[in-house]
Amino acid sequence: MTDDDRRDAVTPQQRQEPDSGNAPAVPAAGPAPAGEPEPPEGQPVPDRFEDPGLPEHRPRSTDRDPRAARRAEFQVAALFSLSVTGTLLALAAYYTVQVEDDLGVAELLGRLRLSTLLLGIGLFLALFCVGAGVVHWARRLMPGEEWTEHRHVLRGSDTDRAEARRILADGAAESGLGRRPLIRNTLVGALALAPLPAIALLRDTGPLPEDSLSRTFWRAGLHLVRDPEGGRIRPDDLVVGSVVHVMPEGVDEAEHPLEERAKAAVLVIRLDPEDLDQESLGGAHEGIVAYSKICTHMGCPVGLYEQQTRHLLCPCHQSTFDVSRHCQVIFGPAKRPLPQLPLTVDPEGYLVAADGFREAVGPSFWERG
Amino acid sequence: MSVTDEPAATGAGGEEIGVPDGTDRGTGGPSTAGPAGSGGTRTARAAGAVGTFADERFGASRIVRGFARKVFPDHWSFMLGEIALYSFVVLLITGVFLTLFYVPSVAPTTYEGSYAPLNGQQVSEAYASTLRLSFDVRGGLLVRQIHHWSALVFAAAILVHMFRVFFTGAFRKPRELNWVVGVVLALLAIFEGFAGYSLPDDLLSGTGLRIASSILLSIPFVGSYLSSFLFGGEFPGEAFIPRLYTIHVLILPAVFVLLISAHLFMVVLHKHTQYPGPGRRDDNVVGYPFYPVYLAKAGGFFFIVAGITTLMAAVFTINPIWAYGAYDPSPVTAGSQPDWYMGFLDGAARLAPGWWEFTAFGHTVSLNVLLPAVVLPGVLSIVAILYPWLESFVTRSRREHHVLDRPRNAPTRTGLGVMAITFYLLLLVSGGNDIIATQLHLSINAITVALRVLVIALPPIAFLVTKRICLGLQRRDRDLVLHGRETGRIVRTEQGEVYEVHEPIDERERWRLVQHQAHRPYEPPSPDETGSGNGHSVTVRDRLRSRLNRFYFRDRVDPVTPAELAAAQASGHGTGPGHGTGEGRSTEAPSTEAAGTTTER
Amino acid sequence: MTTPQMNPPQPTAEARGAGKDTVTAPTARRRRRMATALLVPIGLLTTGLAYTLLAPGSAGAAPTGAEDVSAGRELFLANCSTCHGIDAGGRDLAPSLVGVGAAAVDFQVGTGRMPLRASGPQSPKGSKVTFSQEEIRRLAAYVASLGPGPEIPGASAVDPTLGDPSRGALIFRTNCAMCHNFAGKGGALTQGKYAPDLSDTSPTHIYEAMLTGPGSMPVFADTTLDSESKRDIIAYLDTINEAPSPGGLALGSLGPVSEGLVAWVVGLSALIGCAVWVGARSS
């Protein structure tokens, strides 16, 4: 495809053809509406205005006035020089603003901020001024006249098409693909099966889930310890209205501590037993209840406990659970209540799990049931 | 594919390249172009030598002839895609710098760096190395912030570019495939961004990954398997960050480069669309030659984009991972949000009510997760990808479109677009409902409930209102053509009548307002002249198509015809004093004309 | 030398001591046992010292005398009894003040939350405090006399320079960040309630809030979050409040929402502005 470009050479050779909406195929407003089946016109096509053609080029001040051009030249050069200044500033900032280890935090961060700011401003000037200069140059000093280029429809000519069709048919015939179905069918079969090993190879990217989603580190008799400071908890430590973020003791020594923490996080809350319904009291110890902190919606830690309303709020999607009613969902996108961890105390008086979770914690999944 | 007959433009197929002053010496090096004869003979010879070398190795002269003077129309809205492109280049450059220091591993380590509030904490290598490159590598924080700001700007520019293409109808034939490539690029940008902000392994990115794994888990049948395979076991595992790293720095960038190349190749192949205006037709393109004007503008704009993202990085903190801390599944922060481009999905997840989840036959189906997080983006993408064909199916337009629509002249499409944007924005707002609650002192529950209603109710209203506005603007265009521009000069006639002098608009300006077609709804042709070849039977598909076509074209305002203008002028509008008698005063005109030429409902 | 054997409240102290120096960190996969063994005695030593020096109340505010109590009672009757009752036993919506302790009074009155100015989802931090420091002390003395409750912490208990900001950061993230956000900038709760911004809250008030659990906030008594941990949290908050954000303007430290807003409103707008300039015809 070749383009023939003429600056200002194209005058409106043909006016735009009316493009009728009720045509199945609307003729292009192009030069050759011939060949297009003229659609049946339901209504008379209104007379249309004529394209007046490209407006005359208006010379810019830089075209008319050599002094303006000279001024623009200086401006471009000034922008480029400013860019050089920016580069120098960035380099100077790089070498002079040092961030040493032995500074206090505030001073260290202050230095870092200064370094980032100066480097950034230097680099900004260096880059932006090159860009602004080049654009200014293009706008003010490079030719300001618009060009016109012809467009050609993308489809080939009818001859091209016929030829292409013939070539493809010939090639197909030469290969014998149509005549030899045995080859064709076995090839299709072979190609269809060939990717299977690739899929099989992906099998070892991870283990089968098995019951991993339903299992947690918690089991009967495991001590509750504070997260993150550690330390077992006695019921007396908790006053009404207090919460403790809790992990099972020994979780950090587990084979996969992060994975276990991701399922075992628990929030322990002490309420007035009067405020707890029958279901919640089942796993409670003297008004102390423990609920999984992993949201049943999308797994965020549900830690926002409002002690007055006894509501738990998830900060990610605002699911709200009512602790006094066995963590039923009272608002938001979660469906299931947070699972409760039944509590009791060991002979020494520390809080322990009476049992593991009786259902899978965290977000729903297909096999959950 | 389709073998319908197309009018072939009568390009003469000329061989010449339009070098204005006709100079064409040399062997094709770039030195020969340009009207300003560059002087120095040594330079010219050197350039000639380079040109000869290039030409004899890969035929550079033909490439220069074919492409150097390609014409690109100039309009600011055509540069939105360039913002995205250049942000991508900035992302590549800064990203390479970051890879020099980042360690894609969740192996535990003790942080012993400059930032005291984290000292001695057990963190992952990924987190520690990101802190190291922020605090202990000079300029590292700046580059990280440029990278992140560029990512946000990249996604924003893609979206705005998409809006521009949509509202001007630039996706129509022959550019449908380029629209598809664009939609895919937009989707990939979301994934790439998500992968990127998950890599530092800070509290926020870990929370995001946890949500991602929950979304996988919600997929029926295969969810837990998918999650287990992707994460290499249970969440968070040790495999995901390294895998995500490969995806983020290798696979997706490679796909990006490939698709962006295809995107740009198609732009060159189709030549750029242009806005309607005098002399701008479907068979030409008016603008500046690529070399040197557009090259300078586009090249300069790259530096401008890079400069501005750098300035943002110099002035604004982004993603302060040191404040979030290392990822640990137990803590979380208020205002846990994804980057903005994921916000609409997060918002949708916040709006979905819990009762969408149910258990059947011993299996849990979490539609409350699946619908907003999987089905919604899937459906939106499919609708977006198919839209060009949907529209051409409805409008029955099969010709090439190179002159853009002014959005007001395609009221139905514009309405649909605004409807989609309204829906999207409401989801985005809902993704920040907690921040809105604290900043505006509102109840988060009230906001959420209100948004649940609005997200259903507002988009159709937005559609209707937008369509009305478009039709109103078209009527105003008519007015302008018929009665000219208000001059602000009030004249009082001897009879004591007062009117404002209207000044007729010039024919070039007028052309912009009257060049478009106001299509009438399709009326099926009588059976004997059907073009579709299907004979007499009217299928359900045909009926649906007709109905959609009516919906699309029902409300319209015809552009002014010369006859109407002549009539208006004859009745004495605008041009001068002395004609201001009675009838058809400009203030009444719209209603009279609207009655005549507008068909609504 | 304090040794583990000599420390009286055995398991708790040991756990606390161990927790103090080898912070149970998320990514810990294998404990550095050697280091732990070394650090435990050191941790215990510091813990023990800290306890003897800084046990809450021991270094408390000026001793309260009977005249303070009676002066406080006067103030109470004049300003608080309409809602809380003549005997401070509480009424409809106003809680009983018996046993809330001096800390609760100092927090509620000292931050201007009380006396309540207007009804709403929660009592906001007041722009100005109604009573003088001396009056607050007297009010606190009166309320403290009604029943035993948390006392106002002493100066050393809330001294950020004595705390460990790194440990405080960890505790803050698990116990506080979900409501108050990672940088203590506050966050939304249900039905229009919110966790307030902590940047302007004094260390003493932060300590008292943890101790007494005002409003929606749960109680973090010294038995569940020991006084050192509280001081570490205060030290962390002090650090992030004092230190500038190294990347530049912090944009409210609200996370990706404000960043996204800036990307659009500043970044993209500036770029589109530039594009308009690039594309505009020069005259």
Side-chain angles (χ1 to χ4, degrees), chain A residues 355-368:
Chain A
D355 196 358
F357 282 107
R358 290 176 191 136
E359 55 177 317
V361 302
S364 301
F365 53 97
W366 176 250
E367 297 87 351
R368 190 179 182 284

Side-chain angles (χ1 to χ4, degrees), chain A residues 363-365, chain B residues 217-218 356-358 364-371:
Chain A
S364 301
F365 53 97
Chain B
L217 286 179
S218 78
W356 286 1
E357 177 176 308
F358 62 90
T364 305
V365 185
S366 316
L367 291 184
N368 53 345
V369 177
L370 198 66
L371 287 184

Side-chain angles (χ1 to χ4, degrees), chain B residues 204-247:
Chain B
L204 209 52
S205 66
T207 305
L209 283 182
R210 170 126 224 186
I211 292 173
S213 93
S214 307
I215 292 170
L216 287 174
L217 286 179
S218 78
I219 299 173
F221 304 104
V222 293
S224 47
Y225 290 86
L226 270 183
S227 170
S228 191
F229 290 153
L230 273 169
F231 283 85
E234 289 183 65
F235 174 84
E238 283 139 40
F240 201 60
I241 293 249
R243 286 176 188 174
L244 211 55
Y245 181 66
T246 312
I247 292 171

Side-chain angles (χ1 to χ4, degrees), chain B residues 41 70 134 142 149 188 252 271 278 286 366 387 389 400 406 458 480 524:
Chain B
T41 43
K70 270 200 140 354
S134 303
L142 177 72
W149 281 121
L188 288 182
L252 284 182
K271 300 198 176 85
V286 181
S366 316
Y387 187 82
W389 289 279
E400 289 188 6
R406 301 173 74 214
L458 209 52
L480 198 59

Side-chain angles (χ1 to χ4, degrees), chain B residues 299-368:
Chain B
F301 196 50
F302 164 72
F303 286 94
I304 289 176
V305 172
I308 286 187
T309 41
T310 307
L311 185 63
M312 291 179 78
V315 178
F316 302 117
T317 305
I318 189 164
N319 198 17
I321 53 155
W322 54 89
Y324 293 129
Y327 180 58
D328 173 2
S330 169
V332 69
T333 166
S336 281
Q337 260 106 1
D339 275 1
W340 79 261
Y341 41 83
M342 295 284 288
F344 76 107
L345 293 178
D346 198 50
R350 288 173 189 220
L351 292 188
W355 54 263
W356 286 1
E357 177 176 308
F358 62 90
T359 310
F361 306 107
H363 290 291
T364 305
V365 185
S366 316
L367 291 184
N368 53 345

